[in-house]
Amino acid sequence: MKHELKTLSIACATLCMMASCGITKSAEEKNGMYDKAEKDMNAMYINISDKQEEMIRRNNQFALNVFNKTTGHKSNVLSPASVSYLMAMLANGADGATRDEIMKTIGAEGCTTDELNSLYAFIMKRSKKADPATDVNIANYIAVNKLCDLKKSYKKCVKETYGGGIEALDFADPKSADVINKWCERQTAGMIPQVIDETTPGALAYVLNAIYFNGTWEKQFDESLTKEEQFFAYTRDVRTVKMMNRQAAFAYTKGENFAAVTMPYGNRSFAMTVLLPDEGCAVKEMMASLTAEKLAGMKSKMAEFTVDLKLPRFATETKQELKDIISTLGAPLMFNQAKADFSRFADGGIAISEMFQKAKIEVSEKGTKAAAVTTGIMKMSLNPSAPQRVAFHCNRPFVYLITDTYTGTILFMGQYMGD
């Protein structure tokens, strides 16, 4: 049972949106609140090693770190898990210090890529089957320039471990962007229909991860109780929002400068945890003092309360640039054209030129829909040691010159028309 509780904790922590969803072993489980979920998911358990459990804890810290780098004065949504999956695929294509930085940044320091892959593959597999009432899709995809080849071992890893599709495209063809965007649209059930406007002919590959979540509350809100109520914004101005209302038993705890409530979906395999700062305490102040360890401790202290819950019905959509954030958090080499080592991905001087995420969430009386696509664009350097590959097929009329290379004098010149 110890390992079973670990597994339930890990899956919830990794897959729920926002940094507030680090679900770990809790008093709720001890009190039987998750008994039904445990019975439903026995077939989905594996023995999580202490090293993998520590990897998840450190990855949750990475999630908090990324979230704290993206917060401002406006609503935003982020999928740390999507960023982690993209970086895990990049780690498999990297070597040396570049790989070490990536692994350390996402919390896999001291682990092999095989250990990382085993855990991530399990989470992907389990997420699809954990709750029949909740739809979770984690998908990976690489669009590669048709003029380039990926290493066979890397392609095998992406396909077999991450279930990733690999497709060769002509990045000079405007239709290639449509192919990539349509993949995003399919994998997110239409929530993220477009991530790029066009493909760059000089790009080596577009590496993408998509996560889609569609969960129905275990007990839905009554729409007739949703009323327009005041909402006191960060700037102290008063706004009117559609406020959902419900009185019911929820897991609740009081932290140092906040209160927390956990609302389960479906068979309780997934849940949303809301962290509400105390009056006078800003979100930034609350998050600054929150760590993955404190988050785990908070969950263990949760107990069942009758909660008079009010939650706005809302939708948020954002685009977040990640290059500077990931560099600051410990992995700058992957973006350095001169120093990045992606020799296990493909031959040549390769680096990540862009990394960004588009995300969207919709919270209503019925449940929650959320989707994110994280994109990394890989480019190859044009130095002589790693020349860019192009196709040059003389299958149509052409002109030729024979010159003196010192003086530039044209000695012969002609055209060939096929006759």
Side-chain angles (χ1 to χ4, degrees):
M1 178 62 72
K2 178 183 177 183
H3 286 305
E4 293 176 350
L5 293 178
K6 284 183 181 179
T7 305
L8 176 61
S9 167
I10 287 169
C12 291
T14 305
L15 297 174
C16 290
M17 297 297 295
M18 307 288 286
S20 62
C21 295
I23 312 295
T24 59
K25 289 177 286 188
S26 67
E28 294 174 1
E29 295 168 310
K30 297 176 183 178
N31 294 334
M33 292 185 70
Y34 285 127
D35 286 347
K36 181 179 182 298
E38 290 178 20
K39 292 177 182 178
D40 290 345
M41 294 186 297
N42 279 337
M44 293 305 298
Y45 290 132
I46 63 169
N47 290 330
I48 300 297
S49 69
D50 291 339
K51 179 180 282 191
Q52 288 175 321
E53 188 176 51
E54 176 64 14
M55 195 190 313
I56 288 293
R57 186 195 65 78
R58 293 194 306 232
N59 185 250
N60 284 344
Q61 186 61 56
F62 168 70
L64 293 174
N65 293 342
V66 174
F67 181 79
N68 286 337
K69 292 288 186 180
T70 65
T71 55
H73 303 329
K74 295 182 179 180
S75 299
N76 74 313
V77 59
L78 176 79
S79 171
S82 181
V83 180
S84 294
Y85 266 90
L86 177 70
M87 292 182 67
M89 286 198 293
L90 295 175
N92 278 274
D95 210 348
T98 303
R99 180 181 59 190
D100 293 344
E101 279 190 356
I102 296 172
M103 295 284 282
K104 182 179 180 180
T105 301
I106 63 176
E109 184 180 14
C111 300
T112 66
T113 51
D114 286 343
E115 288 172 317
L116 175 73
N117 296 342
S118 176
L119 180 60
Y120 278 32
F122 164 71
I123 294 171
M124 288 180 62
K125 181 179 179 181
R126 183 193 174 281
S127 66
K128 290 183 177 293
K129 300 180 180 180
D131 184 356
T134 302
D135 183 9
V136 180
N137 178 47
I138 304 176
N140 301 291
Y141 172 72
I142 298 178
V144 61
N145 194 317
K146 72 173 188 176
L147 303 177
C148 304
D149 293 322
L150 303 186
K151 294 290 181 70
K152 290 183 179 180
S153 58
Y154 182 77
K155 290 192 288 187
K156 181 179 180 182
C157 173
V158 170
K159 291 179 179 179
E160 294 183 359
T161 303
Y162 290 90
I166 300 176
E167 188 172 8
L169 299 176
D170 180 1
F171 289 167
D173 185 346
K175 294 181 180 178
S176 292
D178 294 335
V179 174
I180 294 172
N181 288 328
K182 286 185 182 300
W183 180 87
C184 298
E185 185 175 24
R186 286 195 307 271
Q187 300 302 329
T188 62
M191 292 191 73
I192 311 290
Q194 181 178 349
V195 293
I196 58 172
D197 295 324
E198 60 184 5
T199 51
T200 303
L204 169 64
Y206 289 76
V207 185
L208 298 97
N209 169 271
I211 295 184
Y212 172 72
F213 179 92
N214 185 0
T216 302
W217 301 121
E218 181 190 38
K219 295 181 180 179
Q220 299 181 16
F221 289 80
D222 184 344
E223 291 188 35
S224 67
L225 298 180
T226 299
K227 308 292 183 184
E228 288 192 350
E229 296 190 25
Q230 290 183 330
F231 185 88
F232 300 91
Y234 172 82
T235 54
R236 298 185 182 276
D237 59 318
V238 181
R239 302 173 185 176
T240 301
V241 299
K242 294 286 186 180
M243 192 73 76
M244 303 184 294
N245 290 264
R246 189 162 185 270
Q247 281 197 7
F250 291 104
Y252 168 89
T253 192
K254 182 70 180 69
E256 181 180 348
N257 53 7
F258 65 90
V261 166
T262 291
M263 299 174 289
Y265 299 98
N267 68 5
R268 293 176 173 258
S269 296
F270 305 98
M272 173 184 283
T273 297
V274 177
L275 306 178
L276 181 66
D278 293 343
E279 289 191 27
C281 177
V283 167
K284 198 172 188 67
E285 180 184 349
M286 177 187 71
M287 294 302 299
S289 62
L290 189 64
T291 65
E293 290 181 344
K294 289 182 179 180
L295 196 61
M298 175 201 77
K299 297 302 298 182
S300 68
K301 296 176 183 177
M302 279 191 151
E304 182 178 312
F305 280 75
T306 298
V307 179
D308 180 13
L309 178 64
K310 291 188 177 186
L311 182 71
R313 185 173 70 198
F314 67 91
T316 300
E317 185 172 2
T318 59
K319 178 179 178 180
Q320 181 64 56
E321 299 292 339
L322 294 169
K323 183 176 178 178
D324 290 343
I325 291 174
I326 298 302
S327 294
T328 302
L329 293 179
L333 279 180
M334 62 194 292
F335 304 105
N336 189 316
Q337 191 74 62
K339 297 181 180 180
D341 183 352
F342 283 101
S343 56
R344 297 199 298 168
F345 185 89
D347 291 326
I350 303 166
I352 310 298
S353 61
E354 294 181 56
M355 183 182 290
F356 59 90
Q357 182 183 103
K358 282 193 173 183
K360 184 176 182 179
I361 188 169
E362 298 173 356
V363 176
S364 70
E365 291 85 354
K366 294 181 179 180
T368 304
K369 290 183 180 181
V373 175
T374 307
T375 304
I377 302 177
M378 306 187 80
K379 287 190 176 180
M380 186 180 293
S381 65
L382 298 179
N383 61 64
S385 62
Q388 187 177 13
R389 296 178 59 185
V390 297
F392 189 76
H393 302 161
C394 296
N395 54 5
R396 52 199 175 275
F398 60 91
V399 172
Y400 57 89
L401 299 89
I402 300 176
T403 66
D404 178 338
T405 58
Y406 183 72
T407 65
T409 303
I410 298 174
L411 303 179
F412 295 90
M413 182 175 180
Q415 66 179 16
Y416 180 74
M417 307 299 290
D419 52 357

